[in-house]
Amino acid sequence: MLIVVSTLSPVFARRFLPGSVGIAAYRSRIGGLLPDGLSPDATADASDSVNGAMATATELPGTHGEQLVSAVQKAFTGGMNTAAIVSAVVAGLVAIIAATRCATSARPGRRRKRSKQPPVEPYPPWV
């Protein structure tokens, strides 16, 4: 299990983790920041994605569009901050695992067993 996690963690941490955590954090934050008086369709579009929220903001009359853009910016920034913190924690854990694995394999008292066979020459002497 540890081998699978340590093998997949760099790929997971770089490709999937920031986006997934960022989207989840955005969706959890945007609900409390939306301005009052939005239609259910506008609320659904804004809660679904940043692109949907910005497209909806251009269609809203008065100050609702500006308030929606401000809410989206706050939710997006908060989501990216959360994603960065989670990614840093995962990277730290991976670094600790790598350091402990390297430390156990490079102990000072450990030496490799030497082969009893003579070294093999890479090329024949006549070449």
Side-chain angles (χ1 to χ4, degrees), residues 13-97:
R14 277 186 273 138
R15 294 188 181 164
F16 303 113
L17 186 65
S20 300
V21 172
I23 290 169
Y26 169 79
R27 288 182 178 164
S28 70
R29 291 171 192 262
I30 193 68
L33 297 172
L34 290 174
D36 295 332
L38 288 180
S39 68
D41 290 336
T43 302
D45 289 342
S47 298
D48 188 41
S49 69
V50 174
N51 290 338
M54 296 306 258
T56 302
T58 60
E59 299 170 359
L60 292 176
T63 61
H64 283 297
E66 294 172 5
Q67 291 172 348
L68 181 58
V69 169
S70 177
V72 168
Q73 288 173 342
K74 288 177 185 175
F76 180 78
T77 304
M80 288 300 106
N81 287 340
T82 303
I85 290 168
V86 170
S87 296
V89 169
V90 169
L93 291 174
V94 170
I96 290 169
I97 291 170

